[in-house]
Amino acid sequence: KYKINSGTISILINMYGDSISHVLNEIEKIILNNEDKNEINEKLLGEHLLVDRKYAIWDLQDSVGKKNLDKSLTILGSHLENGVSIQMIVISLANLFHRMLWFSFGEIHNEGYTGLTKIISNNVKNYCNFHSLEDIKNNLLELRKIDMLSKTTSINNYSLIEPAITSICLGKYV
């Protein structure tokens, strides 16, 4: 008995799209708080968006793999605000680029722990379309530099990793 337009659904998926059940739970919360209304729209949704979405680490791998800078920086900020360590971020991205490097060499290693979800593993070929072999090597060097700096300087984590994510997504290295 409720109407939801496609724009509102897109917002819900963007904010809570880590699982279908999470999206449905948020819709149910909105309905429970607004039983007198029969339409869920952007205005009503805006009144209830009090919590930032918490992203999974594979969301960052996916957005960086696709060179989506805006989404990558949003997810990065969310991770750092929610206590994900810079080492965890660096390791997860290094796992992605190591896998892409092996794929570029024609080697596909599917056995053992790869540090990637099945979805990310299945998309490695697509990510390689966005990153040249030279980019992949530079990305790994960027991540190594961030790892070393995170252990030897007192610069805040966002200031360390944001330029690296930007370089990786834009394909421009210093």
Side-chain angles (χ1 to χ4, degrees), residues 38-91:
N38 65 352
E39 182 179 356
I40 299 173
N41 55 32
E42 286 90 349
K43 182 181 177 209
L44 185 61
L45 188 59
E47 295 170 6
H48 295 280
L49 291 178
L50 301 174
V51 181
D52 289 331
R53 174 177 176 191
K54 293 181 181 166
Y55 294 92
I57 199 74
W58 62 263
D59 286 314
L60 182 62
Q61 291 172 322
D62 183 59
S63 64
V64 169
K66 293 176 180 173
K67 287 192 170 186
N68 185 333
L69 179 60
D70 291 336
K71 188 172 183 180
S72 296
L73 293 178
T74 298
I75 295 169
L76 175 67
S78 174
H79 280 319
L80 293 174
E81 287 173 15
N82 289 299
V84 177
S85 72
I86 193 167
Q87 288 78 20
M88 181 66 181
I89 293 168
V90 168
I91 289 168

Side-chain angles (χ1 to χ4, degrees), residues 133-143 168 171 173:
L133 181 57
E134 195 61 33
D135 282 344
I136 295 168
K137 291 176 185 176
N138 285 325
N139 296 343
L140 287 166
L141 290 172
E142 277 294 310
L143 293 170
I168 290 169
Y173 307 94

